[in-house]
Amino acid sequence: MSKPISRRQLLQWSGLSGAGLLLSSCGSNFGAQEIGQVIEPLNQATQSLLLSQKPVPEFSIHQVEPDKLLINTFDQTPKIDPAQYRLEISGEVNHPMQLSLANLRSLPFTSMVIQHVCVEGWAAIVQWGGVKLQDLLKLAQPKLNARYVYFKSADGYYESWDFASAMHPQTLMAYQHNGKLLSVEHGAPLRLASPVKLGYKQSKWVTQIILTAQLMPQKGYWEDQGYEWFGGL
Ligand SMILES: Nc1nc2c(c(=O)[nH]1)N[C@H]1C(S)=C(S)[C@@H](COP(=O)(O)O)O[C@H]1N2
Ligand SMILES: [Mo]
């Protein structure tokens, strides 16, 4: 288990500074200060991947369809205490991390309006807000051999994505939905949201993100029952 990330580390790894981040960290439980941490540049492969990613056109906020996003959960809605919640990032990374909700909220916020498509035959235009997964992975510093990203959820759901889709600029770890704080049924405190993948790839209640060099025999909850793995849109 990694230590909770310190505010100094967040600032150094992200290259972020300024009043917004400093103010928003008031009252949060940042741990030990790591002094003299070296800032490592992203590796060349990751850098060129980022440059090559094209954004998917978005909808206007007026096109949001609030009643169309059906709740789709294979089992029970898990109970998560927001104060105890940590997102753990581990595996093939140089800086394993644990982020509290305060940590996540102190990072740059992105909002997007995209279409969510479920293979069961429904779709909805949805606004999502949160942190770019790309920003989180940059903080964790993927190793050169990182090719897949696993997501583990509090309800036992699990998913795996290709690294490029995880680094896409519109792949978010969302904590906001249609202008409000994300509801528990839709995956609070934190879920995946992206216009590049089908609904079943978009894990709710994510607690762990694990980078791997290989795809494991267990690829995803629905994939292991025959759904296609890539699940692209
Ligand atoms: N943890 C978890 N995430 C999940 C699921 C689930 O059962 N458990 N269902 C998936 C499916 S099939 C879809 S279509 C979307 C639905 O998201 P929603 O319930 O917020 O509409 O969540 C996805 N993420
Ligand atoms: Mo779905």
Side-chain angles (χ1 to χ4, degrees), residues 97-209:
M97 318 192 282
Q98 281 191 26
L99 297 153
S100 66
L101 290 174
N103 292 154
L104 290 159
R105 280 193 285 263
S106 73
L107 290 167
F109 176 81
T110 300
S111 173
M112 65 183 182
V113 181
I114 60 152
Q115 190 172 41
H116 178 103
V117 181
C118 177
V119 288
E120 289 175 4
W122 55 271
I125 296 172
V126 189
Q127 180 270 340
W128 299 111
V131 183
K132 286 183 185 176
L133 178 55
Q134 173 189 110
D135 288 351
L136 297 178
L137 297 182
K138 281 191 223 166
L139 286 172
Q141 291 278 340
K143 291 185 181 170
L144 274 169
N145 61 345
R147 289 189 56 202
Y148 302 98
V149 184
Y150 273 77
F151 301 91
K152 292 198 177 169
S153 299
D155 63 340
Y157 202 77
Y158 56 98
E159 258 303 335
S160 58
W161 287 39
D162 59 290
F163 186 67
S165 299
M167 292 295 279
H168 190 277
Q170 288 153 299
T171 295
L172 302 185
M173 296 311 299
Y175 52 82
Q176 196 230 330
H177 163 225
N178 289 353
K180 300 194 189 92
L181 204 61
L182 184 65
S183 68
V184 172
E185 295 72 30
H186 287 303
L190 198 68
R191 70 168 295 159
L192 266 165
S194 175
V196 303
K197 292 285 190 200
L198 282 163
Y200 63 85
K201 302 297 290 184
Q202 310 203 15
S203 300
K204 306 190 278 188
W205 311 293
V206 175
T207 56
Q208 275 180 282
I209 298 177

